[in-house]
Amino acid sequence: GQSLEQPSEVTAVEGAIVQINCTYQTSGFYGLSWYQQHDGGAPTFLSYNALDGLEETGRFSSFLSRSDSYGYLLLQELQMKDSASYFCAVSHGQNFVFGPGTRLSVLP
Amino acid sequence: NAGVTQTPKFQVLKTGQSMTLQCAQDMNHEYMSWYRQDPGMGLRLIHYSVGAGITDQGEVPNGYNVSRSTTEDFPLRLLSAAPSQTSVYFCASSYSQDHNEQFFGPGTRLTVL
């Protein structure tokens, strides 16, 4: 089976840096994705890692270590609009499995 | 492009009723999928399709049917609604099964009484 773990909540102040971790156990693994979801909205794609290392997209970066079955999403220069839930997702073949999500609250 | 569209946005059913949730995309994506999201939880895959005429089960397929007669449309049918199916349903599509950026529709909020 597949399972993913994320912290349930993270709080940080505006302008700070926050890291959201994701560990996974899966029988097959193609890559790790990250999605953002605001309350009442649909998930939107942020990033994808298939290989070990860091991928940077503007203020957001994502890291993957396949040997440790671990990844993280790094958000820099936090803004109020970053308050949302963040989900990691493992793709294995044609299937996607999402983690339970981390609720990020950005305080002024 | 409208992207991924879903109808209806809200629906209330009585136990035992059947209905179809509609999903369409205009991006010529091969891969489409249905998820349900329960309060405070992640998304769980119900069914997916890698192309017209091809569908397969995801993590939680029981009580749901799908078909994919065209590239654009991927309806989800609830055969006999149960209160346990109260959830928010999201349809998603991506260019192919190997393309990991999924585009999500706005969701359908379903309540089964």
Side-chain angles (χ1 to χ4, degrees):
Chain A
Q2 279 69 229
S3 67
L4 294 88
E5 292 188 6
Q6 303 177 234
S8 58
E9 293 184 9
V10 173
T11 301
V13 296
E14 212 172 1
I17 300 172
V18 71
Q19 178 174 312
I20 299 174
N21 299 321
C22 174
T23 58
Y24 59 88
Q25 289 184 324
T26 179
S27 56
F29 179 83
Y30 281 20
L32 186 71
S33 303
W34 288 93
Y35 287 80
Q36 178 192 62
Q37 185 180 32
H38 287 99
D39 285 346
T44 56
F45 175 83
L46 292 176
S47 67
Y48 173 69
N49 295 69
L51 302 175
D52 286 358
L54 191 68
E55 294 282 343
E56 297 182 65
T57 309
R59 294 189 297 116
F60 295 177
S61 303
S62 57
F63 172 82
L64 175 65
S65 169
R66 295 173 69 110
S67 60
D68 295 323
S69 297
Y70 163 76
Y72 66 72
L73 179 70
L74 191 73
L75 296 85
Q76 303 181 72
E77 301 173 15
L78 281 174
Q79 302 175 8
M80 298 297 292
K81 67 179 182 179
D82 297 330
S83 291
S85 292
Y86 293 83
F87 297 90
C88 58
V90 167
S91 58
H92 55 105
Q94 301 165 351
N95 266 323
F96 291 87
V97 179
F98 280 76
T102 298
R103 188 171 185 87
L104 170 64
S105 298
V106 180
L107 305 178
Chain B
N1 283 353
V4 180
T5 58
Q6 292 183 239
T7 56
K9 292 186 178 179
F10 301 92
Q11 183 70 50
V12 179
L13 293 177
K14 295 181 179 179
T15 297
Q17 287 184 314
S18 62
M19 79 158 296
T20 299
L21 307 185
Q22 301 293 341
C23 174
Q25 52 90 10
D26 61 359
M27 298 174 282
N28 202 32
H29 284 173
E30 291 296 324
Y31 185 90
M32 296 186 73
S33 53
W34 275 102
Y35 295 88
R36 61 176 290 173
Q37 184 175 34
D38 299 309
M41 296 180 66
L43 296 98
R44 291 185 291 170
L45 183 64
I46 304 171
H47 285 285
Y48 63 91
S49 168
V50 299
I54 306 169
T55 64
D56 207 343
Q57 298 180 350
E59 179 186 356
V60 288
N62 292 340
Y64 308 93
N65 274 357
V66 291
S67 60
R68 184 94 180 270
S69 57
T70 66
T71 299
E72 294 78 18
D73 300 299
F74 191 44
L76 177 73
R77 283 183 290 278
L78 280 71
L79 309 173
S80 177
S84 61
Q85 293 179 305
T86 293
S87 190
V88 180
Y89 291 84
F90 288 102
C91 178
S93 74
S94 63
Y95 180 72
S96 71
Q97 66 188 66
D98 300 319
H99 207 78
N100 285 276
E101 180 177 1
Q102 293 193 80
F103 294 83
F104 283 80
T108 294
R109 189 173 297 272
L110 176 68
T111 301
V112 183
L113 303 176

